[in-house]
Amino acid sequence: MKSDNKNYYDVIIIGGGAAGLSVGAVTAEAGLKTAIIEREADLGGILLQCIHNGFGLHHFNEELTGPEYAAKVETAAIKAGCQIFTETTVSAIIKQANKNITVDCSSAIHGALELEAGAVVLAMGCRERNRGNIGVPGARPAGIYAAGFAQRLLNIKGCVPGKKAVIIGSGDIGLIMARRLRWSGVEVKAVVEIMPHASGLPRNIAQCLEDFNIPLYLSYMTTKINGKQRVESIEIAPHKNGIADMSKAVKIDCDTLLLSVGLVPENELSVKAGIELNLDTGGPVVDSSLMTNIQGIFACGNVLHVHDLVDFVSEEAIVTGHAVINYLNNKAIANNEIKVIPGTNVKYTVPNSYNRAVNNSFYLRSMMVMDSAELTVYQHEHPVYRKKLKHVKPAEMLQIQLPVSIETSMELDPILPLTISLEAI
Amino acid sequence: MSNSVEQQESYDVVIIGGGVSGAAIAANLARYDLRVALLEKSADFGFGVSKANSGIIHAGFHHNLSALKSKLEIQGNLMFDSLCHQLDFPFRRCGIVVAAFTDEEMVIVNELYNQGVENGSPGIELCSHERMLMLEPKLNNDVVGGLFAPAGGVIEPYLYVFSLIEFAQRNGVETFTEFKVSTASRQENIWHITSSDERMMQTRYVINAAGLYADHVSEIFNGEKFEIIPRKGEEYLLDRASKAYPERVIFPVPTPNSKGTLVIPTVEGTTMIGPTAQEVDEKDDDTTTAENMKNIFVLAANMVSGISRRDIITAFSGSRPTLPGNDFMIKISETTPALIQVAGIQSPGLTASPAIGEYVKDLLKISGLTMIEKKSISRTNQKTVKVRFATRAKLKELIKKNPAYGNIICRCENISEAEIVEAVHKGHTTLDGVKFYTRSGMGRCQGGFCAGKVIEIINQETGIPVEQITKRGKGSWLIVERLNEL
């Protein structure tokens, strides 16, 4: 509901990274009064610390560094007329009885602000899993950092975290940091991965490890961290089903450990607002408009599910932007959402429901590595769509477009859920 | 750089050890017209045994009154309500339940109950299955019965230590960190103390409250020979979102060696499970092990529903300083003049600490120290402002006064820049010091976002170069070098 309140915005976007800026460019361009709230001093989010290239190949058809990509989406958002609040932290999102949504903020610049919105987009991104989350045993000295934290220290603050490093986990940030540390004169002794396969992108394995002869230990677990005040060494051993083979244990001297062991969507605000989360993604459950269970609150980017590529974040954000416009224009959407459930070998799907009138695109992630696979969409055990896929792996998010024809050719039941499965062939 | 005797600072009492015992003694002595110094070997107070404490205020039923620790436990417990108002530290008297899951365990619970009654544990109650579930709905349904001690509670041990230190400092106690006592000599009824970095001071009386190292300190002063045996305990901290967060502290039925693995609702809303109890060789062993983690989770899940390893945000361990016989040893040294031993302060040392302060004060009187109360003292600590507890109206007022209250540094625990600056100004200049004082970095991301900003604030407020800022003092460096500015 429009309001004369000067603190009223049609759209308030929480988070000024790739997702938030990309949504803002769409909604502001459409003439909606849009605010982007960012807790840091600069817009761009995590892209700002990703000074390597490889961004934008899909979305902008050119290879950009993180800051370059950020500059592009920032310029678009500002040009479109978004109002920006930096150094402002949102402390609560409250749905009001009049359908509007209050956003409580605090900021050294703006004070304790209460903004009001017709729609809110969650774009808070994700955070890194830490040592406690993965239960690495041993001593508790200084020198254990999340890889992204070390990346920020090095690339933004110019602080080198140590001299001899081991990286636990083969996530993309860890791989990128292996190379970055080498370039800063740090000896990178090993990357240790508990799974039998790397969790980062293949191109990062090649460019960041193989090109620098950094050994990658697959199916190795960390059995102990040593060091009184600062890390002194780490003990690793190959394992089967989580049981370490101590006869093949290796001790590596190092003073620094970086953890690249996964990312978690940051949904504390969402939970506080009463938004239902999907346990498979850690992000909100969303319908085909990427709207959460609370009317008028949408989500996109890494707060919804962790993406491999920022290009997909922007794509998803644009879809969200249009959905927000439709919502605020009270465009009647046929309310025939069909639930979508991850089936065999599928870790998750986003969105969690299907409505051909709105969005027929899905992101999903495989649980297994498969050289060649068949993706099948079932409704009540009847296949309604099939597609052959090559080189399926958990590290690479899959995107599928359900053809418009599936609803015309096969009468879709309006209630029964769809199941998406992957099978090796 | 040995300064001459005339230049050396001279005290009536020097307390060695800035953990909970030393801090409580310092806070107690602060009321008297005495010159008191408190020496801590680490970079901040409570960094030894106290920081890894479970934070339980025990209710006085676990030990027989014949033990000194049992008498001091009950006395100490009763002092916490007024102390928490006076010193401004968080304390919640949530009560303790001991849960029995077999009839054999119920027999021990009965003994504990009788002991509690005899010790004067206020309001102690023997409970049926139904009563237990009413008191603590998170208990598993197969609980047979148990006991309830409403006088039990929880505190944050490091904040309690800091508040005792602050009270002592406000009232004239001089405090020294990174002061590791290395030698002592006695001339003309005066102790001369030297630190490992050759700082010197003199004192009439010495109190040995050196925790795990009380045996070493006793040796330095030619005191009683004894050995402190470290008994390590591992703890696991669960996210605020954990479904296991109980209403009360949940104890299993104890064994002769340990009070068992507890499920603890921390004052700040996280759930903590632990500790283990394992004698170890090294005093500074702070390791956690996969095996103990597994055991703790099994033991906790046996008592409470909703325990999940997915909720772990961090693990830590620390050792209790134990003596053979497991009692406290608080006494005027029988071998060395003007030395008071405060050793073997294991559980329930935290609970007993205010009573230990009183007890040691009386021992000083007996030793001949004249103690006259100061004419005026600062009775209370200044209340610290916590943005996380402020209403919107209060927050507006705070930010108007100081905009730094609006700048949230730790997003998980909602800690503002102003709170971190305050911590640094109060002398907490390590990453862990700031963490323990403010909670910045204690939440679910464990400093992944805020630690860099905290390092920057410490640098700005103190001028310490970032390469010299540490996690918790000497050797625990964080950054090796700064690249040249472009």
Side-chain angles (χ1 to χ4, degrees), chain A residues 219-291:
Chain A
S219 295
Y220 269 71
M221 63 194 283
T222 307
T223 54
K224 203 174 177 198
I225 295 171
N226 299 310
K228 288 292 178 210
Q229 298 302 324
R230 177 81 190 194
V231 174
E232 287 162 20
S233 65
I234 174 177
E235 294 171 35
I236 62 171
H239 76 96
K240 267 212 176 98
N241 301 322
I243 302 187
D245 179 356
M246 295 310 286
S247 68
K248 292 180 187 148
V250 185
K251 188 171 174 177
I252 308 172
D253 285 337
C254 57
D255 59 25
T256 305
L257 289 177
L258 297 196
L259 264 61
S260 178
V261 290
L263 301 166
V264 192
E266 205 168 43
N267 275 293
E268 284 65 45
L269 271 179
S270 325
V271 171
K272 237 166 87 183
I275 290 167
E276 187 193 340
L277 294 192
N278 177 349
L279 291 178
D280 297 324
T281 56
V285 172
V286 288
D287 67 12
S288 56
S289 306
L290 301 179
M291 187 159 81

Side-chain angles (χ1 to χ4, degrees), chain B residues 12 53 94 139 149 180 190 196 204 225 271 317 367 408 429:
Chain B
D12 296 306
N53 188 290
C94 55
L139 279 171
K180 187 179 174 193
I190 298 287
S196 51
R204 295 167 63 202
K225 288 199 181 351
T271 305
S317 78
S367 311
I408 303 302
T429 54

Side-chain angles (χ1 to χ4, degrees), chain B residues 35-56:
Chain B
R35 196 152 179 229
V36 180
L38 176 65
L39 313 182
E40 167 55 46
K41 72 168 170 22
S42 303
D44 209 336
F45 300 97
F47 268 27
V49 176
S50 303
K51 74 167 191 305
N53 188 290
S54 304
I56 309 298

Side-chain angles (χ1 to χ4, degrees), chain B residues 65 181 360 363 379 429:
Chain B
L65 261 194
V181 174
V360 170
L363 292 182
R379 284 183 188 287
T429 54

Side-chain angles (χ1 to χ4, degrees), chain B residues 140-161:
Chain B
N140 283 336
N141 201 39
D142 55 347
V143 62
V144 173
L147 73 74
F148 174 47
V154 285
I155 63 170
E156 305 277 317
Y158 31 85
L159 281 184
Y160 170 57
V161 173

Side-chain angles (χ1 to χ4, degrees), chain A residues 118-184:
Chain A
V120 164
V121 180
L122 308 173
M124 292 92 78
C126 55
R127 67 159 182 277
E128 300 180 272
R129 294 177 77 205
N130 59 42
R131 177 183 180 179
N133 300 144
I134 57 165
V136 182
R140 322 201 64 78
I144 305 168
Y145 303 103
F149 174 83
Q151 188 179 45
R152 196 156 51 245
L153 269 186
L154 190 52
N155 292 348
I156 308 278
K157 305 288 176 201
C159 296
V160 183
K163 293 172 218 155
K164 289 177 286 179
V166 169
I167 296 167
I168 302 179
S170 60
D172 285 312
I173 313 170
L175 301 176
I176 295 286
M177 279 309 289
R179 178 176 64 182
R180 182 70 183 92
L181 288 173
R182 273 293 275 272
W183 282 341
S184 308

Side-chain angles (χ1 to χ4, degrees), chain B residues 13 18 26 76 83 181 211 220 375 460:
Chain B
V13 183
L83 262 182
V181 174
I220 290 170
K375 286 212 176 70
Q460 279 162 14

Side-chain angles (χ1 to χ4, degrees), chain A residues 13-282:
Chain A
I13 298 161
I14 304 174
L21 292 166
S22 303
V23 177
V26 173
T27 56
E29 189 64 44
L32 296 175
K33 190 180 172 197
T34 302
I36 298 177
I37 304 173
E38 166 57 45
R39 53 187 146 208
E40 300 300 328
D42 299 302
L43 291 170
I46 296 304
L47 283 169
L48 297 179
Q49 69 189 54
C50 301
I51 60 173
H52 53 285
N53 58 4
F55 301 94
L57 287 167
H58 296 257
H59 193 60
F60 290 114
N61 284 319
E62 57 178 318
E63 192 168 23
L64 304 168
T65 64
E68 285 169 348
Y69 193 106
K72 275 192 181 263
V73 282
E74 178 180 342
T75 306
I78 289 172
K79 242 191 185 161
C82 289
Q83 189 164 336
I84 310 290
F85 294 86
T86 48
E87 291 179 77
T88 302
T89 302
V90 174
S91 55
I93 305 164
I94 305 146
K95 175 87 178 179
Q96 303 295 350
N98 69 355
K99 279 187 75 181
N100 281 354
I101 302 156
T102 309
V103 177
D104 288 349
C105 316
S106 69
S107 162
I109 304 165
H110 306 288
L113 266 183
E114 281 101 37
L115 303 178
E116 210 183 331
V120 164
V121 180
L122 308 173
M124 292 92 78
C126 55
R127 67 159 182 277
E128 300 180 272
R129 294 177 77 205
N130 59 42
R131 177 183 180 179
N133 300 144
I134 57 165
V136 182
R140 322 201 64 78
I144 305 168
Y145 303 103
F149 174 83
Q151 188 179 45
R152 196 156 51 245
L153 269 186
L154 190 52
N155 292 348
I156 308 278
K157 305 288 176 201
C159 296
V160 183
K163 293 172 218 155
K164 289 177 286 179
V166 169
I167 296 167
I168 302 179
S170 60
D172 285 312
I173 313 170
L175 301 176
I176 295 286
M177 279 309 289
R179 178 176 64 182
R180 182 70 183 92
L181 288 173
R182 273 293 275 272
W183 282 341
S184 308
V186 180
E187 193 183 341
V188 181
K189 297 239 174 158
V191 174
V192 183
E193 170 60 55
I194 196 163
M195 301 294 285
H197 50 82
S199 65
L201 294 171
R203 70 170 194 217
N204 286 334
I205 301 286
Q207 294 168 12
C208 302
L209 300 188
E210 287 164 8
D211 289 359
F212 294 86
N213 293 319
I214 296 170
L216 171 63
Y217 290 82
L218 294 174
S219 295
Y220 269 71
M221 63 194 283
T222 307
T223 54
K224 203 174 177 198
I225 295 171
N226 299 310
K228 288 292 178 210
Q229 298 302 324
R230 177 81 190 194
V231 174
E232 287 162 20
S233 65
I234 174 177
E235 294 171 35
I236 62 171
H239 76 96
K240 267 212 176 98
N241 301 322
I243 302 187
D245 179 356
M246 295 310 286
S247 68
K248 292 180 187 148
V250 185
K251 188 171 174 177
I252 308 172
D253 285 337
C254 57
D255 59 25
T256 305
L257 289 177
L258 297 196
L259 264 61
S260 178
V261 290
L263 301 166
V264 192
E266 205 168 43
N267 275 293
E268 284 65 45
L269 271 179
S270 325
V271 171
K272 237 166 87 183
I275 290 167
E276 187 193 340
L277 294 192
N278 177 349
L279 291 178
D280 297 324
T281 56

